[in-house]
């Protein structure tokens, strides 16, 4: 099974995704590690990515995921079309949607140092977000451990 942990920047995809992968004994894949240099340069400059920037990146991630039996992927995957591309050809694909208030996420982003994603891009992330209809939804106002426990309980029901 591939578990996509998705949401806007600063929501905790990496933190929760790594903890979930450890709990399951699965590989953790961070989508940020697969961005081509031109995407990273745009984001560092505070320029939101466009769909044309994302398609090759999503295709590369899908190729990586198709080689895994079980893995947890942390990826923004803000649009349904992105999630469909990630899931293409994967029999068991589950989406975990991490969400929280704009104020909470902005506060977290301002308190962290990310390789290339400035807090200034958060508004564009919320604007682009298409919340998934069939997902395990988790409010990140809870602790990491509480989020992981909730995700594990819901995965057991699927």
């Amino acid at each position: 099974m591939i578990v996509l942990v998705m949401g806007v920047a600063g929501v905790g995809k990496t933190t929760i995704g790594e903890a979930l992968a450890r709990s399951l004994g699965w590989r953790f894949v961070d989508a940020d590690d697969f961005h081509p240099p031109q995407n990273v340069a745009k984001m560092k400059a505070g320029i939101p990515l466009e769909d044309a920037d994302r398609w090759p990146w999503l295709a590369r991630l899908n190729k990586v995921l198709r080689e895994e039996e079980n893995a947890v992927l942390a990826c923004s995957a803000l649009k349904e079309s992105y999630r469909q591309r990630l899931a293409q050809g994967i029999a068991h694909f589950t989406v975990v949607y991490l969400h929280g208030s704009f104020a909470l996420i902005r506060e977290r982003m301002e308190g962290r140092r990310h390789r290339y994603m400035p807090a200034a891009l958060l508004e564009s992330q919320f604007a682009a977000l298409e919340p998934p209809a069939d997902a395990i939804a988790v409010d990140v106002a809870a602790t990491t451990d509480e989020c992981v426990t909730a995700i594990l309980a819901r995965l057991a029901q699927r």
Side-chain angles (χ1 to χ4, degrees), residues 19-88:
L20 179 63
R22 270 193 312 276
S23 293
L24 294 167
W26 294 359
R27 177 181 177 198
F28 174 73
V29 178
D30 190 336
D32 286 347
D33 296 338
F34 293 84
H35 272 296
Q38 61 270 28
N39 285 9
V40 173
K42 282 181 89 168
M43 290 183 284
K44 274 186 176 178
I47 302 168
L49 297 181
E50 298 176 12
D51 285 354
D53 301 314
R54 289 186 176 94
W55 292 124
W57 171 64
L58 293 168
R60 184 174 178 203
L61 287 167
N62 174 261
K63 184 176 188 282
V64 168
L65 296 175
R66 282 186 282 124
E67 295 171 1
E68 296 293 330
E69 185 174 337
N70 296 304
V72 175
L73 169 68
C75 180
S76 54
L78 298 176
K79 294 183 179 182
E80 180 61 29
S81 59
Y82 304 163
R83 296 186 290 272
Q84 288 176 1
R85 180 62 188 106
L86 287 168
Q88 192 171 17

Side-chain angles (χ1 to χ4, degrees), residues 74-108:
C75 180
S76 54
L78 298 176
K79 294 183 179 182
E80 180 61 29
S81 59
Y82 304 163
R83 296 186 290 272
Q84 288 176 1
R85 180 62 188 106
L86 287 168
Q88 192 171 17
I90 299 172
H92 302 289
F93 188 90
T94 298
V95 177
V96 173
Y97 169 44
L98 302 181
H99 62 89
S101 71
F102 182 86
L104 173 67
I105 305 307
R106 182 163 191 89
E107 178 182 320
R108 288 182 179 180

